[in-house]
Amino acid sequence: MREEFELELENRIKNLIWTVSGDYTLDVKPDIESYHRSHAVGLYDGIKQGAFARYFNREELSLYLMKKIYLHGEEGPLMSLAQLCIEWSVAERITKEREGVKEIRKKALEDILEMDFSRLAASEPGRLKLMLFKECLNGSEPATNRMRAFMEQVQALSDAKETIEQVIALNDKRRSTQNQLDKNLAEVNSLSRTIGQLMKEGKKEEAETARARVAELKEGNKELDATMTQAATDMQNALYTIPNIPYDSVPEGVGAEDNVVEKMGGMETELPKDALPHWELAKKYDLIDFDLGVKITGAGFPVYKGKGAQLQRALINFFLDEARKSGYIEIMPPTVVNAASGYGTGQLPDKEGQMYHCEVDDLYLIPTAEVPVTNIYRDVILDEKQLPIKNCAYTQCFRREAGSYGKDVRGLNRLHEFSKVELVRIDKPEHSKQSHQEMLDHVEGLLQKLELPYRILRLCGGDMSFTAALCFDFEVYSEAQKRWLEVSSVSNFDTYQANRLKCRYRSGEKKTELCHTLNGSALALPRIVAALLENNQTPEGIKIPKALVPYCGFDMID
């Protein structure tokens, strides 16, 4: 009875999908269906090679497969086939929107849109792809953008697999070369001892043969040594391109839309109807001159003036004082670093295109104080009693932000140079979770003292940085712009950075272990200033939060 029901259901689905385009002949249906049912892998290869292009529209085939997966929760080759078809069909859809869709095809799409693919037991990436495709079919532009991002991630995963396989192959090559080199060196040593003995015994011809063999081995060893060194270098460069592994607590997702709101706080702000965005307030009260910055340097390098400059300095001192109260030791590091430092914390090679490079000296302007401060502990073995290490630093930060444009980067929303106070912690693995929470509490306390509305986001895998294992973003609400502005990222890197840095500690058992590294902005100034100006504007002027008044020396900008 069950088999009859399933067969009837499958036939109804098959017939529905088969009539989507209305151009399949009766003699084709059973052959293709039979082939599909018996040889999913073969069909997968056939679709890849375009062998079935005359029978199938890829989007319609993917609809059929989506229904089948939905009903039966099938995985394996069927899921792979569905994903392939989905990638192709979405690529077609985002290239050009089809015209003249038939009513029956619309009905098929509606059936798909009603399905809840989240209940499937299939793999998470496959499930997410099906859900996104469903939204794409519904004409959702954000979903289409997310699908693009997802496809990029799928490609990145494929690239990562190839990179890992490359690392394994290079490591095998390095080890086998090392083994051969060791054997050769052992033979050279043995022959060298034998030559002396042979000469003593008057066996000159045998000694000369041994000498020739030693010379041959030494020449070969040069090539082996060069091969081994190159394999080790290539392996290290490949390892640098592999990102950190996210913790299990990291939500799945491809972009900002998939981040999870952990908490919201702060007071809602009621502004006058004629409220201004911060760039207009800055001009009105002569606080920041963006045009002058363009004249001196270029876009993204504002000039702070008068009370605008005083507000900057007040925030820096306030943030540093609060950090010191929480036990952080202040560091004043260089704002340029060498390549080794960039590789140590993971900015290189991942973010090389976003960093300002002084090519003559091969130095980089820092994108964050995380880089120089964390590198203090590069190639260092710490004593367990020294942990946790808690450092804070104020620096200027420099980011190229290539490709940034539009209304979302206006004013202080995105700059090439900005001020920031950074927290850096080095800790034992078993204590890093607590350290992370303490850092989150510290940043939240700053926003509460500044009386700003805020929210805390747990970032999904697709929105986290290359080096993070777990990351939380803090955003403040800009009442005048009606949007959230990111002001801090607080991350736990597990042993990822420590492994690159060779930052270790010696435990009580005298064993050396990798440390955990953590850092977070506390805070980045530009968007904090933007929110303070916008959210505190009144007909009389801009009110300064009570916590900042002692640092500013005034309580109103007017």
Side-chain angles (χ1 to χ4, degrees):
M1 187 73 177
R2 178 178 175 80
E3 289 181 0
E4 291 179 5
F5 171 77
E6 288 186 351
L7 183 60
E8 180 186 355
L9 191 57
E10 186 172 315
N11 284 333
R12 287 173 60 189
I13 293 170
K14 178 184 67 177
N15 291 334
L16 173 63
I17 301 303
W18 242 256
T19 53
V20 164
S21 64
D23 59 0
Y24 301 131
T25 59
L26 290 172
D27 60 326
V28 169
K29 291 184 207 173
D31 293 337
I32 298 298
E33 172 59 21
S34 173
Y35 189 90
H36 162 64
R37 186 179 294 160
S38 305
H39 307 283
V41 176
L43 181 59
Y44 177 84
D45 293 334
I47 290 291
K48 281 193 350 186
Q49 296 164 9
F52 292 93
R54 60 184 287 245
Y55 299 128
F56 279 109
N57 171 295
R58 291 169 183 154
E59 185 170 299
E60 280 115 27
L61 177 59
S62 65
L63 290 175
Y64 167 67
L65 292 167
M66 286 170 72
K67 287 206 170 200
K68 192 169 180 63
I69 292 168
Y70 178 77
L71 289 166
H72 301 288
E74 295 193 35
E75 298 186 50
L78 191 61
M79 176 64 83
S80 299
L81 174 59
Q83 291 180 3
L84 175 71
C85 295
I86 288 166
E87 289 172 13
W88 277 347
S89 60
V90 171
E92 290 176 0
R93 176 168 286 276
I94 62 180
T95 302
K96 62 178 181 178
E97 189 66 31
R98 297 182 183 178
E99 298 178 357
V101 181
K102 296 182 179 180
E103 287 301 318
I104 192 164
R105 184 165 181 275
K106 288 182 180 179
K107 178 64 171 66
L109 297 182
E110 289 170 2
D111 289 345
I112 296 294
L113 296 177
E114 291 173 0
M115 295 180 179
D116 177 16
F117 288 99
S118 63
R119 72 167 181 79
L120 291 180
S123 64
E124 292 292 339
R127 196 158 64 219
L128 177 59
K129 186 176 287 189
L130 291 170
M131 293 168 70
L132 284 175
F133 181 57
K134 183 179 78 171
E135 294 181 40
C136 290
L137 292 174
N138 200 25
S140 167
E141 184 176 348
T144 301
N145 292 335
R146 290 174 68 202
M147 179 57 89
R148 283 196 188 101
F150 187 83
M151 288 182 184
E152 290 174 1
Q153 285 201 340
V154 169
Q155 183 59 49
L157 287 172
S158 175
D159 294 343
K161 181 182 178 183
E162 292 177 7
T163 302
I164 291 169
E165 290 173 348
Q166 180 188 8
V167 168
I168 293 171
L170 287 167
N171 190 47
D172 289 343
K173 183 178 181 179
R174 180 192 64 81
R175 293 176 65 180
S176 63
T177 307
Q178 177 71 67
N179 290 336
Q180 186 60 52
L181 183 60
D182 291 342
K183 289 179 182 178
N184 287 4
L185 290 172
E187 187 177 351
V188 167
N189 291 335
S190 177
L191 287 171
S192 297
R193 289 192 298 271
T194 302
I195 290 170
Q197 185 63 32
L198 290 171
M199 292 298 291
K200 287 180 182 179
E201 296 173 359
K203 299 177 180 179
K204 188 176 179 181
E205 187 175 337
E206 291 181 31
E208 289 302 322
T209 301
R211 281 197 181 98
R213 175 59 178 164
V214 168
E216 180 186 352
L217 287 170
K218 286 184 176 180
E219 192 62 34
N221 287 350
K222 291 179 182 178
E223 294 182 11
L224 287 173
D225 189 62
T227 299
M228 184 180 67
T229 301
Q230 188 61 53
T233 300
D234 291 344
M235 183 180 72
Q236 188 63 55
N237 289 336
L239 284 169
Y240 280 141
T241 67
I242 298 175
N244 201 350
I245 300 173
Y247 286 158
D248 291 340
S249 58
V250 173
E252 287 209 8
V254 297
E257 300 88 350
D258 301 308
N259 295 335
V260 176
V261 178
E262 291 280 313
K263 184 178 181 180
M264 299 186 71
M267 300 170 12
E268 292 185 10
T269 307
E270 292 187 11
L271 296 182
K273 292 181 180 180
D274 57 350
L276 301 174
H278 69 271
W279 52 85
E280 293 186 24
L281 291 168
K283 186 174 183 179
K284 178 180 178 180
Y285 294 104
D286 197 23
L287 303 174
I288 308 168
D289 196 324
F290 295 100
D291 293 334
L292 186 56
V294 172
K295 173 187 174 182
I296 297 170
T297 308
F301 297 89
V303 175
Y304 298 88
K305 303 163 64 178
K307 288 187 175 181
Q310 289 176 259
L311 178 59
Q312 285 278 116
R313 183 159 43 82
L315 283 165
I316 293 165
N317 289 333
F318 170 65
F319 293 152
L320 287 173
D321 282 354
E322 291 296 308
R324 283 194 294 271
K325 290 176 186 176
S326 295
Y328 290 87
I329 297 173
E330 185 177 351
I331 303 291
M332 186 173 285
T335 52
V336 292
V337 293
N338 55 31
S341 294
Y343 278 99
T345 47
Q347 275 70 26
L348 294 177
D350 180 55
K351 293 291 188 293
E352 185 164 12
Q354 295 296 332
M355 296 175 71
Y356 286 98
H357 186 199
C358 308
E359 295 184 7
V360 173
D361 301 303
D362 194 23
L363 296 174
Y364 294 83
L365 274 65
I366 62 170
T368 165
E370 163 199 347
V371 182
V373 176
T374 311
N375 270 277
I376 292 172
Y377 308 98
R378 173 158 46 96
D379 297 321
V380 171
I381 298 177
L382 299 161
D383 191 275
E384 187 175 13
K385 295 177 182 178
Q386 294 176 264
L387 302 177
I389 287 173
K390 300 169 67 175
N391 292 150
C392 66
Y394 151 67
T395 62
Q396 290 296 98
C397 303
F398 303 87
R399 300 180 185 180
R400 292 186 61 244
E401 302 289 3
S404 298
Y405 60 91
K407 63 181 178 61
D408 290 344
V409 300
R410 191 170 180 185
L412 297 172
N413 288 343
R414 194 172 295 278
L415 301 176
H416 295 304
E417 179 184 2
F418 60 93
S419 303
K420 181 160 70 80
V421 172
E422 187 79 2
L423 305 180
V424 172
R425 292 182 70 146
I426 313 291
D427 213 336
K428 295 186 292 185
E430 62 267 27
H431 192 258
S432 71
K433 183 177 180 180
Q434 180 181 334
S435 285
H436 200 183
Q437 187 58 55
E438 289 173 4
M439 294 173 76
L440 294 171
D441 293 342
H442 179 86
V443 174
E444 184 177 10
L446 296 178
L447 295 175
Q448 289 171 344
K449 290 176 181 178
L450 292 177
E451 304 170 38
L452 290 171
Y454 66 90
R455 67 179 184 180
I456 307 173
L457 304 177
R458 184 187 293 262
L459 297 196
C460 70
D463 205 31
M464 279 203 314
S465 72
F466 180 86
T467 52
L470 177 63
C471 180
F472 293 87
D473 270 7
F474 286 79
E475 297 180 338
V476 295
Y477 191 69
S478 164
E479 190 64 44
Q481 297 181 67
K482 302 297 182 186
R483 57 188 293 254
W484 290 95
L485 305 174
E486 179 197 332
V487 295
S488 175
S489 290
V490 184
S491 303
N492 188 335
F493 302 95
D494 202 88
T495 60
Y496 185 83
Q497 287 184 332
N499 192 37
R500 296 167 74 118
L501 293 160
K502 299 297 180 284
C503 173
R504 294 156 290 173
Y505 75 98
R506 183 171 281 110
S507 66
E509 299 176 358
K510 301 301 180 182
K511 293 190 299 184
T512 57
E513 299 180 44
L514 288 171
C515 300
H516 277 201
T517 62
L518 307 93
N519 66 56
S521 308
L523 291 156
L525 268 68
R527 295 171 191 162
I528 288 290
V529 170
L532 287 174
L533 296 180
E534 293 177 2
N535 292 9
N536 292 306
Q537 59 183 296
T538 70
E540 293 76 31
I542 300 171
K543 291 175 61 179
I544 299 297
K546 291 180 182 178
L548 286 181
V549 172
Y551 293 90
C552 290
F554 52 84
D555 59 5
M556 181 76 74
I557 297 175
D558 51 20

